[in-house]
Amino acid sequence: MIRRTRILAYSGTFIALIAAGSWISIPLPPVPLTLQTLFVLLAGIVMKRYGVIPVGLYVLLGAANLPMFHNGTAGLGVLLGPTGGYLIGFIPAALIVGLAYEHESIQWRVGGLILATTVIYLFGVAWLAYSASLALPQAVLLGVAPFVIGEVVKVAAAYSIGKRLA
């Protein structure tokens, strides 16, 4: 019973944090740099494999027209737009981090954070290229290159915060 209660409480907290992180952004076209990914990674760190629950619910709530995405946007149109792949990529990313954090090894944990971030960008770039009719190199240039430094900082921050929380 306590485990279910904890999962429920953490889920509500992480849905709120990911939504709040979507408002903290640097507007870079076509994909803004936000703090959503930091909270997606932290959901996996704190909740382990169950971190996929709040992340999946976050995407589902946004798809159901609750203003959850960047700057309060919502709906299937956002998921079908150029940023949709990144949002969908949050779901497997949270699971990857969660599974990695079920191991005590620093290598597993750091590797999980890096792999999860890579998965977000793989989903994002693939969908950006398709939805915006871009060549793959152009999608990488627009959808990855401007964000590499920010993502390195967020991965380092997630790891550092995770050492205190996990």
Side-chain angles (χ1 to χ4, degrees), residues 5 17 24 30-31 37 45 73 79 86 94 99 119 128 141 146 161 166:
T5 304
L17 286 170
I24 303 166
V31 181
T37 53
I45 289 170
T73 57
L79 292 178
Y86 298 93
L99 292 172
V119 164
L128 177 62
L141 190 62
I161 294 166

Side-chain angles (χ1 to χ4, degrees), residues 3-147:
R3 185 177 186 177
R4 287 185 196 161
T5 304
R6 183 171 288 152
I7 289 170
L8 184 62
Y10 281 151
S11 291
T13 301
F14 279 110
I15 290 168
L17 286 170
I18 297 165
S22 74
W23 284 88
I24 303 166
S25 67
I26 299 170
L28 299 172
V31 181
L33 175 65
T34 70
L35 287 183
Q36 291 167 296
T37 53
L38 173 64
F39 295 119
V40 167
L41 297 175
L42 287 173
I45 289 170
V46 170
M47 296 180 68
K48 310 298 185 267
R49 70 180 65 209
Y50 299 104
V52 75
I53 295 169
V55 176
L57 287 172
Y58 166 79
V59 173
L60 187 63
L61 290 169
N65 269 349
L66 280 127
M68 305 294 279
F69 302 140
H70 173 67
N71 287 339
T73 57
L76 288 175
V78 176
L79 292 178
L80 296 175
T83 62
Y86 298 93
L87 293 167
I88 296 298
F90 289 174
I91 299 168
L95 182 60
I96 290 166
V97 171
L99 292 172
Y101 266 76
E102 289 180 1
H103 297 272
E104 296 295 322
S105 164
I106 292 172
Q107 291 85 357
W108 271 94
R109 292 177 173 194
V110 171
L113 290 167
I114 293 168
L115 179 60
T117 302
T118 303
V119 164
I120 291 170
Y121 279 90
L122 286 173
F123 275 73
V125 165
W127 185 251
L128 177 62
Y130 176 77
S131 68
S133 299
L134 299 173
L136 197 54
Q138 188 179 13
V140 169
L141 190 62
L142 289 171
V144 177
F147 308 105

